[in-house]
Amino acid sequence: LVAIWEYDRRPANGASFVCHGQWHRIVSDDPDYYGQIVAYEKGVCTALGIRNGPSHGEVKWYQGAPILVEVGSRCHGGDGLWVDVAEECLGHSQASMTVDAYLDPNGRFAALSADGSERVKFGALKWMISYEEGILKGYNEAFLDEIRNMESYRGDQLFVKPGGIMKKTQNCFTWGGCVKLVNADEAQLKRDYYRIEEMEQSGLFILDHTQVIPQLSYVGVVDPFSTGA
């Protein structure tokens, strides 16, 4: 086990299952709960014959038991925004451990415990949720300055450029951006996380509602490899 990420999924904009962020967890946070999830996921990998390389699995807790959402023989997705957070929280990540499996198999890789390592710091990714729709004029600079001066701030990525179409967030394709957060103090991490959530609802995104959003036609190509895409 390299890492556990717990999704913060709540209703937004008429969608019932929007991911607002994800929290970095370790098994010792709740050994029975996370322990069952980890054992279940390892059983899934074994049943599917996934033996070599990293694996990303998603599991939901339903009526007192873990149930599979998806699994693949690949790294966790999300543009790799999780790498820096995991490295600072644990001292390793899926990316670095994959390299160590080849270059230091009897050292760092062999030293990885079966249920993850002891936490050094607490971490999270805060996905930016848009509650309006329009042409993006820009971002509230005062809010961006506040975010970038937070004690927990470790970087951000803004997904929509000025002049682009900002849609109400209903899925992973309509996030406004992402902020990486890490702190030794879990309470401060949570304060920073939920302060960003306040900004989302009070003018973080500056939109032009006078322009008509163009109605585009699409050709869809479905990749059945992952339910996430």
Side-chain angles (χ1 to χ4, degrees):
L1 173 67
V2 178
I4 299 171
W5 293 95
E6 185 168 53
Y7 294 156
D8 170 17
R9 289 189 178 271
R10 288 174 273 141
N13 298 316
S16 61
F17 206 54
V18 175
C19 188
H20 292 249
Q22 51 199 75
W23 300 92
H24 189 275
R25 306 297 192 197
I26 59 176
V27 171
S28 59
D29 288 337
D30 188 335
D32 182 57
Y33 174 65
Y34 293 114
Q36 288 188 63
I37 291 173
V38 170
Y40 174 84
E41 179 62 24
K42 287 185 175 182
V44 169
C45 290
T46 299
L48 292 174
I50 297 175
R51 296 178 59 190
N52 301 306
S55 175
H56 164 71
E58 298 188 5
V59 175
K60 66 179 178 179
W61 190 260
Y62 179 69
Q63 294 184 352
I67 293 180
L68 183 68
V69 175
E70 67 160 307
V71 67
S73 52
R74 61 175 177 86
C75 275
H76 185 47
D79 279 358
L81 289 161
W82 42 271
V83 173
D84 293 340
V85 176
E87 289 286 349
E88 191 170 349
C89 288
L90 290 176
H92 63 253
S93 68
Q94 250 190 343
S96 62
M97 293 310 298
T98 299
V99 174
D100 288 337
Y102 290 96
L103 302 185
D104 192 16
N106 298 316
R108 272 174 52 91
F109 185 77
L112 184 66
S113 65
D115 62 351
S117 299
E118 292 298 317
R119 172 188 288 115
V120 179
K121 295 181 181 178
F122 298 88
L125 296 177
K126 180 66 186 84
W127 302 107
M128 293 179 171
I129 308 299
S130 172
Y131 293 91
E132 295 185 272
E133 191 168 286
I135 304 298
L136 181 69
K137 295 172 66 175
Y139 295 86
N140 185 312
E141 290 299 327
F143 281 168
L144 283 184
D145 286 345
E146 183 181 345
I147 290 171
R148 289 167 179 169
N149 283 295
M150 287 177 169
E151 183 182 323
S152 305
Y153 175 80
R154 295 296 186 273
D156 65 72
Q157 186 171 324
L158 304 176
F159 297 160
V160 183
K161 296 180 180 180
I165 299 172
M166 179 71 77
K167 295 187 176 182
K168 292 181 178 180
T169 303
Q170 292 186 314
N171 50 45
C172 63
F173 302 108
T174 47
W175 283 321
C178 183
V179 182
K180 298 184 283 188
L181 302 169
V182 177
N183 205 302
D185 181 356
E186 185 179 19
Q188 183 60 53
L189 176 75
K190 290 181 176 180
R191 283 192 291 270
D192 291 341
Y193 182 99
Y194 289 112
R195 172 60 184 141
I196 296 172
E197 188 163 289
E198 291 176 354
M199 296 179 193
E200 295 167 352
Q201 302 183 57
S202 54
L204 176 59
F205 310 111
I206 302 173
L207 303 180
D208 182 353
H209 298 289
T210 64
Q211 295 190 53
V212 177
I213 296 177
Q215 299 300 311
L216 304 177
S217 298
Y218 298 92
V219 173
V221 179
V222 177
D223 172 10
F225 175 75
S226 167
T227 57

